Amino acid sequence: MKQTQYGDVSVELRESIAIVTLARSAKRNALSDAMMASLEQAFSELPTSVGAAVLCGSGDHFCAGLDLSELKDRDAVEGLHHSRSWHRILSGLEFGRIPIVAALHGAVVGGGLELATSCHIRVADDSAFFALPEGSRGIFVGGGGSVRVPKLIGVHRMLDMMLTGRVYKAAEAVPLGFAQYHAATGGALDMAIELATRIATNAPMTNYALIHGLPRIAEQTADHGFFSESMLVAIAQSAPEAKARVRDFLEGRAAKVQV
Ligand code: 1HE
């Protein structure tokens, strides 16, 4: 186990996975500019031996969103560049080298929800709640939320959240699409670690093809999507590791699909 600190972001390496923690609980893990830079650096410096990551928050909440204390000094042009920096950093997570599992508890709000939706798998424990208070703070989402959130829950649910301040609770997270998994209170991190450990056993090229290919193919026409799919399957199956894994199955050494 190796622990590295990047400002208010800590990284623990546990064999094939990394646990990245937002470590600013006194401010409910509100994302300052420095913290966003730390997050970007932490992920970019993960060693290639890491095959999947968990992203979680310290204290009682996952993340309270943008650090509102830094908002007051920005003019329009600075606001534009600030939003674009979030896009760069969160797209770097979504389209990075490895899958990321977000362990969600407490507040997953504003930019915290934008951060969670840039991860690939979300586990919400019973304490988690989801909100977009930007509507009532006189602002707008700026970290990619208008693109990523509707893909999970639909445009009209997001509209409702921003217009009325509606808060969704953990029990609704999986049925509505905020998360793929639900855990008991305090159980999100363990479940996320288990999932990330499982994901890290996949062939790296398959994981890469999935996180880069699937979201892009979903936005292509069927004809373009079929072609992209063929390119990805051809590359993935040509890797020596893929051939070895298929051989392992055919010779009875690999795990079967379990019900
Ligand atoms: C903060 C922030 C923050 C807490 N920026 N300082 N996000 C929001 O509008 C959410 C704002 N936060 C909250 O609604 C609540 O803080 C929570 C529901 C998350 C947690 O409540 P609670 O009672 O546990 O904590 P608290 O007492 O409200 O906050 C503890 C401290 O954290 C307090 O500071 P203190 O110095 O008085 O102790 C809070 O001021 C501080 N804090 N949240 C700065 N967000 C790229 S665009 C993205 C757009 C957005 O994300 S807008 C922000 C949306």
Side-chain angles (χ1 to χ4, degrees), residues 26-28 30 61 64-68 86 110-111 114 133-134 137 142-143:
K27 295 289 178 188
R28 306 315 185 241
H61 302 279
L66 173 74
D67 185 334
L68 290 165
W86 273 59
E114 295 182 299
E134 288 91 333
R137 307 245 184 272

Side-chain angles (χ1 to χ4, degrees), residues 37-196:
S38 297
L39 195 62
E40 184 173 40
Q41 192 189 357
F43 274 97
S44 71
E45 291 186 7
L46 290 179
T48 51
S49 57
V50 167
V54 168
L55 178 63
C56 61
S58 61
D60 293 338
H61 302 279
F62 173 69
C63 177
L66 173 74
D67 185 334
L68 290 165
S69 70
E70 292 184 350
L71 187 67
K72 54 182 187 290
D73 296 328
R74 266 184 214 118
D75 66 19
V77 174
E78 288 166 343
L80 166 74
H81 291 304
H82 178 261
S83 166
R84 296 299 286 156
S85 77
W86 273 59
H87 293 162
R88 186 193 72 244
I89 294 166
L90 298 192
S91 291
L93 302 187
E94 183 178 11
F95 297 112
R97 188 181 57 78
I98 53 167
I100 305 170
V101 184
L104 307 176
H105 73 297
V108 185
V109 304
L113 179 57
E114 295 182 299
L115 174 60
T117 57
S118 68
C119 298
H120 306 97
I121 306 272
R122 282 162 294 282
V123 180
D125 90 4
D126 231 17
S127 70
F129 57 94
F130 304 84
L132 290 168
E134 288 91 333
S136 57
R137 307 245 184 272
I139 50 179
F140 194 74
V141 282
S146 57
V147 172
R148 292 193 180 96
V149 176
K151 284 184 185 153
L152 297 182
I153 62 166
V155 174
H156 286 87
R157 269 198 195 102
M158 178 171 175
L159 252 179
D160 181 25
M161 290 172 80
M162 295 200 67
L163 288 172
T164 70
R166 182 168 183 167
V167 178
Y168 282 107
K169 299 210 174 86
E172 297 165 302
V174 174
L176 296 187
F178 286 103
Q180 293 98 322
Y181 294 89
H182 184 198
T185 300
L189 181 57
D190 282 348
M191 193 186 283
I193 289 172
E194 196 181 316
L195 291 165

